[in-house]
Amino acid sequence: MTNHRTTAPTLAEVVGVLDRHYPPGTAESWDAVGLVTGDPAQPVRRVLFAVDPLDAVVDEAVAWGADLVVTHHPLLLRGVHSVAATTFKGALLHRLIRSGIGLYAAHTNADAAPHGVAEALAAAIGLVDLEPLEPIAAEALDKHVVLVPVADAGRLVDALAFAGAGAIGAYTRCAWTTTGEGTFTPSGGAQPTVGRAGEIAMVVEARVEMVAPRRLRSAVVAAMRSAHPYEEPAFDVLELARWDGPTGIGRVGRLAEPTTLLGFARRVAAALPATAQGVRFAGDPDARVTRVAVVGGSGDSLFDAVRAARADAYLTADLRHHPASELRERAEFDAAPGQPSPPYLVDVAHFASEWPWLPLAAAELTSALASDGTTVETRISTQLTDPWTGRVPSPQMQSEGNSL
């Protein structure tokens, strides 16, 4: 009989799922991600997702009875020497602890992850055929090549797999073998498994090849030596070439139906949460837009990657005057007279660019826990945590252009 267990997971189990989706080791070195507060043994029944760990979000979490708040932005990004309630961050932490609510942050590790912030933003505005804007190199790999008597090959493969070798995508214990004849002459001081000192030995051996993360090299070699029957195993460790991994910073894709820059800006405005800033764009409103690059959060450090990707438009947040001005000046200078001058810029509020990730993260957490027989109730915060609260429109621009 099938056991349909629907108990609440522990905080440790929820954190384990979140860490698998957004590995903390992939965060930038300056970042502060992971579990901020909470008892790993406590049950988690309700999880609130929000962009920012602000007091209004904690209000919502307490009122709803949340057991965990998952935010994109960290509360303690920079080091502190005190979390006393005499500071606003300390007071917030004390309130979370008193209420039995954990806090978890997934920041730059969620930006580049598959189904992370960038992909959520791209999906929200209807991009297809996605690829990373700036790919992250796949993990460095070694190939371990070991010669071993045929009868011992299976045991050797098991030992290397247990040490972490042979994992490729969704498959484990991946190995390739062939057979050949090995020869050696043991010296007088040797204690050979096969043959006798001073005599030429001929042995039918298997050549076993398995890949493994380079970071596990010492452990895999140690496992090989332990499992190998020979006193002096014959083996090679070859460093494989690096290649782009399946993810990275930002995403580039295409619109199913081309539009104008103005039409694209309107599409963005309709897809993202409303903010005081709204949507700004730079370029000819009638310019054609098909290929689009996106980066959630502050993205003006990636202009070179956007140009290299040959994007028609670039959607991001927090664009500063000088970088944006220089990009558009360069684009106009490089364009042939009367021709389009991409990339055009579309600038939204930081909060709005990252919000689409929240429903996706909530759905993935629920699905992953359900496969383990546990369940949580999730909720997307209703708090608009963009710091800008209002905007006064400028008077109508002069009819002859943008001059003051």
Side-chain angles (χ1 to χ4, degrees), residues 16-395:
V17 170
L18 293 169
D19 283 351
R20 287 197 300 274
H21 282 88
Y22 318 110
T26 64
E28 297 290 339
S29 59
W30 49 264
D31 207 356
V33 301
L35 188 64
V36 180
T37 184
D39 181 353
Q42 75 182 64
V44 174
R45 297 177 179 84
R46 288 183 166 182
V47 182
L48 179 69
F49 285 81
V51 174
D52 299 291
L54 302 185
D55 196 56
V57 172
V58 176
D59 286 343
E60 184 179 5
V62 171
W64 184 53
D67 303 299
L68 175 65
V69 176
V70 175
T71 63
H72 181 50
H73 292 141
L75 176 67
L76 305 176
L77 182 58
R78 293 174 176 82
V80 297
H81 68 276
S82 170
V83 291
T86 53
T87 67
F88 74 95
K89 290 188 178 182
L92 188 147
L93 282 172
H94 277 256
R95 191 172 175 213
L96 286 169
I97 293 170
R98 284 197 304 269
S99 302
I101 302 172
L103 176 63
Y104 179 97
H107 193 208
T108 54
N109 52 325
D111 283 333
H115 311 297
V117 173
E119 283 193 11
L121 178 57
I125 60 170
L127 295 186
V128 297
D129 299 335
L130 299 180
E131 58 189 50
L133 172 62
E134 195 169 79
I136 295 174
E139 184 171 20
L141 298 177
D142 290 335
K143 178 187 284 188
H144 294 257
V145 181
V146 187
L147 304 180
V148 63
V150 171
D152 298 288
R155 186 165 60 89
L156 180 75
V157 169
D158 288 339
L160 268 59
F162 187 78
I168 302 176
Y171 298 86
T172 59
R173 201 183 176 275
C174 300
W176 183 84
T177 62
T178 188
T179 58
E181 189 172 69
T183 181
F184 50 85
T185 302
S187 66
Q191 297 179 331
T193 303
V194 177
R196 291 185 297 218
E199 296 182 2
I200 297 174
M202 307 289 288
V203 185
V204 176
E205 295 178 327
R207 175 188 172 99
V208 176
E209 298 185 10
M210 299 178 75
V211 297
R214 198 166 297 167
R215 58 185 166 78
L216 298 179
R217 180 182 295 176
S218 295
V220 173
V221 170
M224 179 274 296
R225 289 188 178 277
S226 178
H228 205 290
Y230 285 179
E231 188 177 19
E232 292 292 343
F235 70 97
D236 293 316
V237 179
L238 310 176
E239 293 189 354
L240 300 182
R242 300 290 296 272
W243 54 84
D244 290 341
T247 188
I249 299 172
R251 293 293 184 271
V252 182
R254 65 175 179 84
L255 297 170
E257 295 291 337
T259 185
T260 63
L261 177 59
L262 177 59
F264 177 64
R266 286 172 172 163
R267 172 187 288 224
V268 171
L272 301 185
T275 62
Q277 172 184 320
V279 178
R280 304 185 297 179
F281 65 87
D284 179 359
D286 296 322
R288 180 183 174 91
V289 173
T290 300
R291 185 166 169 82
V292 177
V294 303
V295 167
S298 306
D300 60 17
S301 64
L302 293 162
F303 282 165
D304 287 343
V306 172
R307 289 178 59 85
R310 305 184 69 83
D312 298 318
Y314 179 35
L315 168 61
T316 188
D318 297 343
L319 290 181
R320 296 170 293 165
H321 173 86
H322 290 296
S325 176
E326 290 181 0
L327 175 76
R328 290 302 306 142
E329 283 288 291
R330 180 180 178 184
E332 293 281 359
F333 179 82
D334 290 345
Q339 296 301 308
S341 59
Y344 309 108
L345 300 177
V346 179
D347 181 47
V348 299
H350 193 119
F351 162 85
S353 72
E354 295 171 334
W355 186 92
W357 169 69
L358 301 181
L360 183 59
E364 289 208 318
L365 175 63
T366 302
S367 176
L369 290 172
S371 67
D372 293 334
T374 60
T375 186
V376 293
E377 183 180 357
T378 61
R379 178 174 177 176
I380 308 306
S381 174
T382 60
Q383 302 301 314
L384 177 63
T385 56
D386 181 59
W388 305 108
T389 57
R391 177 174 62 89
V392 177
S394 299

